[in-house]
């Protein structure tokens, strides 16, 4: 587990460039096509967990509170899901063909050293959210423990560095569980996601059905002050845009998962069931929960965990809480653990591997005291919002470079060489044209997303950033160059490592 492989298993491969130990290890290496384990169901299970995250339910319940009714919410989700299916499928195809993780994929457009920029941005966002999501999971665990043994409530009254004794105990417990799972690599994450998917779907459907019966087999399809006219349509399209923005992280590094997929067909099929179909199921569940609660007492819940606390049976509270914990851990590992592990590997490939980088990521996620960040609106809006605004321009450049400029022709072994004659060395390892396209698009995306004057179009900042960067790069990069396609199989490693 702790061995770091610096060079291809076969050593120097005749006819291929010299592989650099500063660019290659067993986690950054391309995966062999034979023996890949991620099937259509694996991809579906990934989305079955992530789409049903507590944060996503909070987002949809917020749309209901804003004044959108059931059909408007479902329409917004349908538009967003259709866009995501297209974006994620083509992003996933890149990982399947090359077999490389996101930091290495970024070398194609940004250069072997310039790739540190997109990897660092994606990793920073993920590490902060890893800590925050772990903290949010402790809230569920604390409710469960106090329901089982009310005496635990006494440990939840004090505060040390912003967290109670019970808060620290539950945070460290969940922190250790995630570290142990992730240290066993991507295939262990795949197995956990496959296990968690059905548990999550069954639990949330059961909660929705329970709420439906509790409301007398009837729900409110909107609040007492629904949006109409232009405001309604603006919120529908804004909601669709924000649904895509929520997955602005995943559309970047989806190749981290699909590099172990069996075929393009498995990606497309898994995405079809996992994104459009599963998203609409998610929407129906959220609408039933919100509408049923509004029918009961005129209040709007903020999360499924609110429903769990209202269950009048300790055993059912425990079972539902455990299911939500399984869900949160699944989402956290997939969305917020994998990206920084590969980013750290990319920075220090001679010294790190998946296990070591996962421990470092987890430690950073702990020492930043994420509960204090979560409770500070300035941090959430400006720091994480600013970093999130940078994801669109990165995506636009990488996708245009791969699909429109190169037409999917990549010299995979050359991604691991420092030879100045290499196709991805550019200028001292950095592609200045990609940086030139990125900077103005990033500034515009940040301004649109964070400056109050642009509030009416802030929901679409990801699209502005991605579109501007894509157009700029398309014309800056030039389209007359010849690109060589070379397989990474000679330097590949097994996809389970």
């Amino acid at each position: 587990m702790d061995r770091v492989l610096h060079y291809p298993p076969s050593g120097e491969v005749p006819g291929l460039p010299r592989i650099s130990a500063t660019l290659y290890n067993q986690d950054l290496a391309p995966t062999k096509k034979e023996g890949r384990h991620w099937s259509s169901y694996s991809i579906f299970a990934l989305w079955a967990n992530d789409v049903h995250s507590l944060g996503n339910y909070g987002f949809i319940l917020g749309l209901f509170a804003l004044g959108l009714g059931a059909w408007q919410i479902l329409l917004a989700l349908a538009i967003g899901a259709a866009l995501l299916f297209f974006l994620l499928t083509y992003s996933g195809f890149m990982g399947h063909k090359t077999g490389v993780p996101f930091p290495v994929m970024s070398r194609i457009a940004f250069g072997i050293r310039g790739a540190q920029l997109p990897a660092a941005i994606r990793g920073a966002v993920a590490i902060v959210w890893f800590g925050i999501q772990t903290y949010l999971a402790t809230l569920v665990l604390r409710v469960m423990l106090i329901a089982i043994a009310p005496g635990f409530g006494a440990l939840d009254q004090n505060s040390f560095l912003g967290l109670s004794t019970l808060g620290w105990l539950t945070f460290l417990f969940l922190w250790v569980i995630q570290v142990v799972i992730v240290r066993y690599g991507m295939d262990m994450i795949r197995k956990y996601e496959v296990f968690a998917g059905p548990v999550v779907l069954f639990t949330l459907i059961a909660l929705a059905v329970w709420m439906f019966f509790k409301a007398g087999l009837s729900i409110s399809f909107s609040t007492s002050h629904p949006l109409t006219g232009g405001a309604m349509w603006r919120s529908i399209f804004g909601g669709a845009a924000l649904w895509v923005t929520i997955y602005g992280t995943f559309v970047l590094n989806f190749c981290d998962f699909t590099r172990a997929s069996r075929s393009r067909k498995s990606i497309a099929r898994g995405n079809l069931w996992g994104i459009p179909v599963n998203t609409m199921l998610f929407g129906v569940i959220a609408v039933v929960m919100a509408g049923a609660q509004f029918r009961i007492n005129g209040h709007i819940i903020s999360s499924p965990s609110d429903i769990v606390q209202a269950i009048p049976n300790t055993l059912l509270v425990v079972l539902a809480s455990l299911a939500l914990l399984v869900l949160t851990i699944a989402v956290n590992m997939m969305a917020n653990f994998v990206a920084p592990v590969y980013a750290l590997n990319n920075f220090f490939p001679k010294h790190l591997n998946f296990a070591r980088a996962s421990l470092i990521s987890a430690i950073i996620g702990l020492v930043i005291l994420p509960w204090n960040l979560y409770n500070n609106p300035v941090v959430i809006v400006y720091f994480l919002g600013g970093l999130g605004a940078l994801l669109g321009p990165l995506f636009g450049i990488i996708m245009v470079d791969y699909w429109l400029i190169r037409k999917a022709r990549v010299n995979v072994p050359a991604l691991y060489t420092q030879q100045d004659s290499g196709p991805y060395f550019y200028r001292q390892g950095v592609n200045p044209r990609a940086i030139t396209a990125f900077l103005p698009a990033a500034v515009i995306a940040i301004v649109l997303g964070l400056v109050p004057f642009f509030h009416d179009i802030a929901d679409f900042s990801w699209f502005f950033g991605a579109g501007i960067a894509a157009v700029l790069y398309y014309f800056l990069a030039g389209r007359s160059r010849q690109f060589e396609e070379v397989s990474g199989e000679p330097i590949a490693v097994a996809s389970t490592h």
Side-chain angles (χ1 to χ4, degrees):
M1 183 181 297
D2 281 322
R3 187 171 64 93
V4 181
L5 175 68
H6 294 213
Y7 296 101
S10 57
E12 292 298 317
V13 181
L16 293 180
R18 178 178 176 81
I19 302 302
S20 171
T22 63
L23 296 171
Y24 181 102
N25 67 19
Q26 68 264 41
D27 296 301
L28 298 175
T31 55
K32 290 185 178 295
K33 292 189 179 298
E34 184 179 354
R36 293 182 179 180
H37 289 79
W38 283 69
S39 63
S40 297
Y41 180 74
S42 303
I43 301 293
F44 164 76
L46 183 150
W47 300 122
N49 290 299
D50 195 75
V51 167
H52 292 269
S53 72
L54 298 183
N56 284 350
Y57 276 100
F59 169 69
I60 295 302
L61 295 169
L63 293 181
F64 189 81
L66 186 65
L68 289 184
W71 74 265
Q72 292 105 325
I73 290 174
L74 293 177
L75 177 59
L77 284 176
I79 296 170
L83 290 170
L84 278 176
F85 173 75
F86 173 79
L87 296 175
L88 283 160
T89 298
Y90 277 91
S91 178
F93 287 168
M94 294 160 59
H96 171 262
K97 181 172 182 178
T98 61
V100 303
F102 172 65
V104 179
M105 186 73 69
S106 300
R107 295 174 188 173
I108 301 171
F110 283 86
I112 58 172
R113 295 304 174 201
Q116 302 289 18
L117 173 66
I121 293 172
R122 176 65 183 98
V125 173
I127 284 181
V128 176
W129 277 115
F130 160 74
I132 289 174
Q133 289 281 6
T134 302
Y135 162 67
L136 294 177
T138 69
L139 302 180
V140 177
L141 182 55
R142 284 148 72 180
V143 168
M144 185 187 77
L145 292 175
I146 293 173
I148 297 173
F152 278 116
L155 299 176
D156 210 23
Q157 304 302 316
N158 63 329
S159 178
F160 174 69
L161 296 178
L163 210 58
S164 68
T165 300
L166 185 61
W168 274 104
L169 292 174
T170 51
F171 186 93
L172 292 174
F173 173 72
L174 295 173
W175 185 89
V176 169
I177 287 178
Q178 293 174 93
V179 169
V180 170
I181 293 173
V182 174
R183 278 181 64 84
Y184 284 93
M186 287 295 292
D187 202 49
M188 180 60 74
I189 293 176
R190 176 187 67 85
K191 292 175 181 177
Y192 183 87
E193 300 294 333
V194 167
F195 153 74
V199 173
V200 168
L201 289 176
F202 174 81
T203 302
L204 290 165
I205 291 172
L207 284 176
V209 170
W210 180 72
M211 285 293 293
F212 185 62
F213 276 92
K214 187 179 177 182
L217 302 179
S218 176
I219 67 170
S220 296
F221 288 96
S222 66
T223 63
S224 53
H225 302 287
L227 292 176
T228 59
M232 177 192 73
W233 287 106
R234 189 250 170 233
S235 295
I236 289 174
F237 287 110
L242 286 174
W243 188 247
V244 174
T245 303
I246 288 172
Y247 288 94
T249 52
F250 255 124
V251 294
L252 265 183
N253 75 306
F254 192 37
C255 58
D256 288 343
F257 304 91
T258 58
R259 65 192 294 243
S261 59
R262 294 175 180 172
S263 64
R264 285 167 58 115
K265 190 174 182 179
S266 68
I267 297 171
R269 187 186 297 119
N271 278 351
L272 177 64
W273 286 99
I275 302 174
V277 176
N278 181 48
T279 296
M280 298 316 295
L281 173 63
F282 156 80
V284 170
I285 293 172
V287 165
V288 169
M289 286 181 177
Q293 186 65 51
F294 196 79
R295 171 72 68 184
I296 293 169
N297 58 13
H299 293 156
I300 301 171
I301 59 173
S302 60
S303 169
S305 57
D306 296 341
I307 295 175
V308 171
Q309 295 181 46
I311 296 176
N313 182 291
T314 301
L315 176 60
L316 294 179
V317 168
V318 171
L319 292 176
S321 297
L322 286 174
L324 293 183
L325 288 174
V326 168
L327 164 64
T328 304
I329 290 174
V331 171
N332 220 11
M333 289 192 303
M334 177 178 58
N336 301 319
F337 224 144
V338 172
V341 167
Y342 281 128
L344 286 171
N345 263 289
N346 197 48
F347 274 105
F348 309 105
K350 295 179 68 174
H351 305 289
L352 296 182
N353 56 19
F354 205 93
R356 296 179 188 177
S358 66
L359 182 59
I360 294 172
S361 299
I363 290 173
I364 296 173
L366 170 63
V367 299
I368 60 175
L369 304 180
W371 46 90
N372 291 330
L373 300 180
Y374 181 73
N375 293 322
N376 187 335
V378 174
V379 172
I380 295 296
V381 173
Y382 290 101
F383 175 69
L384 289 177
L387 282 177
L390 303 179
L391 301 178
L394 294 175
F395 179 75
I397 291 169
I398 290 170
M399 292 293 281
V400 164
D401 182 82
Y402 184 89
W403 289 108
L404 300 184
I405 304 297
R406 300 177 185 279
K407 302 191 185 304
R409 296 190 295 270
V410 178
N411 184 339
V412 176
L415 293 169
Y416 302 91
T417 179
Q418 292 196 88
Q419 294 176 357
D420 55 12
S421 60
Y424 311 110
F425 190 79
Y426 295 107
R427 187 177 302 171
Q428 300 302 315
V430 178
N431 182 3
R433 297 183 180 187
I435 301 299
T436 301
F438 170 75
L439 290 177
V443 170
I444 292 171
I446 290 174
V447 170
L448 294 180
L450 300 182
V451 175
F453 179 79
F454 298 102
H455 172 74
D456 289 340
I457 57 174
D459 294 347
F460 305 92
S461 61
W462 186 93
F463 290 91
F464 279 107
I468 292 169
V471 172
L472 285 176
Y473 186 75
Y474 183 76
F475 288 104
L476 286 171
R479 297 171 301 284
S480 59
R481 290 176 292 161
Q482 297 296 315
F483 299 104
E484 184 181 19
E485 181 170 340
V486 181
S487 171
E489 283 292 305
I491 62 168
V493 298
S495 61
T496 17
H497 54 278

